[in-house]
Amino acid sequence: MSRTKMKAFAIMMASALALTLAACNNGQSASPGNSGEPSKGTATKDVTITFQNINPDPSTPSYKMIKQIVGQYEQDHPHVKIELDSLNTDQQKLKLKTQAAAKEVPDITIVNPAAQMKPFVDAGLLAPLNDVADKEGLKDTFQNGLLNYYSFDDKLYAFPDGNNIEVVFYNKELFKQAGIQKLPTTFDELITTVKTLKAKGITPIAIGEKDSWTGSLLFMNILLRTNEGPNFLNDVLDGKKTFNDPAFVEAVDAFQELVQAGAFPDGATSIDYNAGGNIFKTGKAAMYIMGTWETGSIDASSVAGKVGAFQFPTVNGKGDVNEYVIAPGSAFAVSANSEHLQETKDFLHYFIKEMPKIQFDLKNAIGSGQKMKGDLKEAGYSELAISLNELFKNVKGGDLAFDNTMNPAIAQAHLSSIQNLFVQKEDSAQVAKEHQNTFEANK
């Protein structure tokens, strides 16, 4: 991703991402009956649309959002059945790779922005969605610039479900139980906090590292700090830096310090993303370093009202806490080979148009990629959600995830390398060298 794009993205995050909730017809989307009518010329034959998604947990607002919109649509369009295929993130990625190899992509599937989705676009597996975006001004419901991360050669291939920053969620009761009175603002203080919690028998940081992106996302926070700002990976791509750079080596050392301090649950690499998150949401871990998309789910869990959030600390005196690992959301794409392409596009248009209102009503609007209107406090949002909304207002920019920046071969080697650090300590210079070798072999 170019520096120009990153700069534009930083501006977008700072000015538009905050839930000023500033447009979308008073929080009300178009009526279901209007937004989802079959397009002219579309026959009302019985069809089944397969909708692959990454929301398998019935307790989460995102799961409820999908079920609610699908239920509405099927009621209004009795000739259409939406068949949900709900998977964990890594399960979905793996299944989609297999389906893509056989050119049997589901009618609707999930892709990630930029580098992660480009191979699917290059292979001609995804249908351009500009016509869907243009219908009834749907594209204007998104934050300015966000759809660029899902567009190639002026063709839009997916609609994102959010636009988030990564923060440290913490359980106030467990911090109090451990006698911790000050939130960590430096990495050294974070290590001390981890050791204090560990000594009290409390799991310090929840994680599900079986889905290897989780550890990488946390690692990118550290690299953002040791690099003293964004764009380390872009500088590698531009040939201005290598993975042997001291900033990368320092980040590996710091990450390993966290592991060695006992920050994570035993057997973290055998716990998937949802189970890892539930360790925190059931009050069994004190911290959860994750994207703000988890806010609604946390507020719907048994730790609701007990959770606060803080910015990832500086590392060795480096970094700006108002710079974040930024996550344009996973996104809904349509198979170019769908047997029911028009019906699928009609449903997706309805789904995307309904999503902001349903998400707001479910108190799951923090990190939304679409503009919404409403008062969080009046709508009964939690103190946690309102405090995170304030953080969005001061975002200075940041980095995308590793696998949204590097090509899949390099990204997979990185994910495996970071995952391995959970089970054994490695020489940081060697880790950096292996990253560089993989990069040079696959660039």
Side-chain angles (χ1 to χ4, degrees):
M1 186 167 300
S2 69
R3 287 176 178 276
T4 303
K5 271 192 172 183
M6 283 306 302
K7 184 178 180 181
F9 191 62
I11 293 170
M12 175 187 73
M13 291 292 294
S15 62
L17 180 59
L19 261 179
T20 51
L21 307 170
C24 195
N25 193 24
N26 293 326
Q28 303 296 318
S29 59
S31 69
N34 291 333
S35 62
E37 288 300 316
S39 296
K40 186 178 181 181
T42 301
T44 54
K45 60 184 179 183
D46 290 342
V47 299
T48 297
I49 295 171
T50 305
F51 185 0
Q52 191 174 76
N53 65 87
I54 54 172
N55 295 286
D57 186 345
S59 69
T60 63
S62 295
Y63 175 94
K64 295 173 183 173
M65 176 270 293
I66 289 177
K67 292 285 287 187
Q68 184 171 336
I69 299 177
V70 166
Q72 282 179 197
Y73 192 81
E74 288 181 329
Q75 184 176 344
D76 294 344
H77 303 77
H79 65 291
V80 179
K81 175 176 173 53
I82 310 296
E83 189 173 273
L84 296 175
D85 183 20
S86 304
L87 304 163
N88 290 338
T89 304
D90 270 16
Q91 289 175 338
Q92 186 269 334
K93 285 182 179 179
L94 186 62
K95 187 172 183 178
L96 180 58
K97 282 183 181 177
T98 303
Q99 292 170 322
K103 297 189 182 303
E104 295 177 349
V105 173
D107 296 308
I108 297 176
T109 189
I110 298 297
V111 295
N112 285 281
Q116 280 197 66
M117 66 180 291
K118 190 171 187 300
F120 297 100
V121 173
D122 290 346
L125 295 170
L126 305 181
L129 299 174
N130 297 61
D131 53 338
V132 180
D134 289 338
K135 184 180 176 183
E136 299 177 12
L138 187 63
K139 64 182 177 185
D140 296 329
T141 67
F142 285 86
Q143 295 163 17
N144 296 337
L146 179 59
L147 295 182
N148 292 342
Y149 294 90
Y150 310 85
S151 300
F152 300 86
D153 296 328
D154 297 324
K155 294 179 180 176
L156 174 69
Y157 288 94
F159 291 100
D161 64 357
N163 198 7
N164 292 270
I165 56 176
E166 192 170 10
V167 298
V168 185
F169 295 101
Y170 74 102
N171 184 315
K172 297 176 183 178
E173 284 192 353
L174 293 182
F175 267 51
K176 185 177 180 180
Q177 185 179 324
I180 300 169
Q181 297 181 344
K182 179 182 180 298
L183 297 177
T185 58
T186 69
F187 194 76
D188 286 343
E189 291 176 354
L190 179 62
I191 294 293
T192 299
T193 299
V194 163
K195 291 179 177 177
T196 301
L197 290 162
K198 187 79 175 174
K200 293 290 185 180
I202 300 169
T203 299
I205 302 174
I207 196 168
E209 179 58 10
K210 184 178 180 181
D211 294 358
S212 52
W213 62 268
T214 52
S216 171
L217 202 63
L218 197 163
F219 171 80
M220 287 299 293
N221 282 279
I222 300 174
L223 180 59
L224 179 62
R225 300 290 184 255
T226 59
N227 191 53
E228 300 189 70
N231 289 319
F232 178 86
L233 296 181
N234 294 305
D235 285 347
V236 172
L237 287 169
D238 293 342
K240 298 174 183 176
K241 288 184 178 179
T242 74
F243 283 103
N244 297 315
D245 189 275
F248 190 83
V249 175
E250 185 180 1
V252 174
D253 279 332
F255 185 82
Q256 292 201 104
E257 187 179 359
L258 204 54
V259 175
Q260 297 301 317
F264 304 108
D266 294 337
T269 56
S270 63
I271 303 169
D272 69 23
Y273 168 70
N274 287 312
N278 283 335
I279 295 173
F280 180 79
K281 294 171 204 171
T282 54
K284 297 173 183 172
M287 289 181 280
Y288 187 34
I289 304 176
M290 191 46 66
T292 45
W293 62 79
E294 283 284 4
T295 308
S297 182
I298 290 170
D299 281 338
S301 75
S302 63
V303 295
K306 303 175 184 176
V307 176
F310 60 90
Q311 296 154 302
F312 196 86
T314 58
V315 179
N316 301 329
K318 300 174 183 175
D320 185 331
V321 295
N322 285 318
E323 292 174 334
Y324 296 86
V325 173
I326 296 168
S330 51
F332 305 96
V334 170
S335 170
N337 299 317
S338 170
E339 293 181 8
H340 313 294
L341 184 58
Q342 189 56 57
E343 289 88 347
T344 301
K345 285 184 174 182
D346 288 341
F347 166 69
L348 185 60
H349 181 273
Y350 177 100
F351 183 89
I352 298 300
K353 199 153 189 174
E354 288 298 295
M355 188 164 62
K357 178 183 183 302
I358 304 298
Q359 289 280 59
F360 190 82
D361 290 347
L362 289 169
K363 298 184 176 56
N364 199 35
I366 298 299
S368 170
Q370 288 174 276
K371 304 167 187 173
M372 288 182 276
K373 187 173 183 179
D375 185 295
L376 294 179
K377 189 172 183 179
E378 187 176 295
Y381 273 70
S382 68
E383 290 184 12
L384 171 67
I386 293 170
S387 68
L388 288 171
N389 191 42
E390 292 301 309
L391 289 185
F392 275 113
K393 295 176 181 177
N394 295 312
V395 173
K396 289 183 178 178
D399 282 328
L400 300 185
F402 193 105
D403 50 5
N404 286 337
T405 309
M406 291 288 175
N407 71 46
I410 301 168
Q412 187 54 57
H414 161 77
L415 295 174
S416 297
S417 177
I418 296 298
Q419 188 183 52
N420 185 53
L421 299 181
F422 281 83
V423 294
Q424 63 180 5
K425 191 173 182 180
E426 297 280 353
D427 178 71
S428 54
Q430 183 62 28
V431 172
K433 183 179 178 181
E434 290 169 357
H435 272 74
Q436 185 61 24
N437 289 344
T438 302
F439 173 72
E440 290 176 359
N442 293 280
K443 65 181 179 182

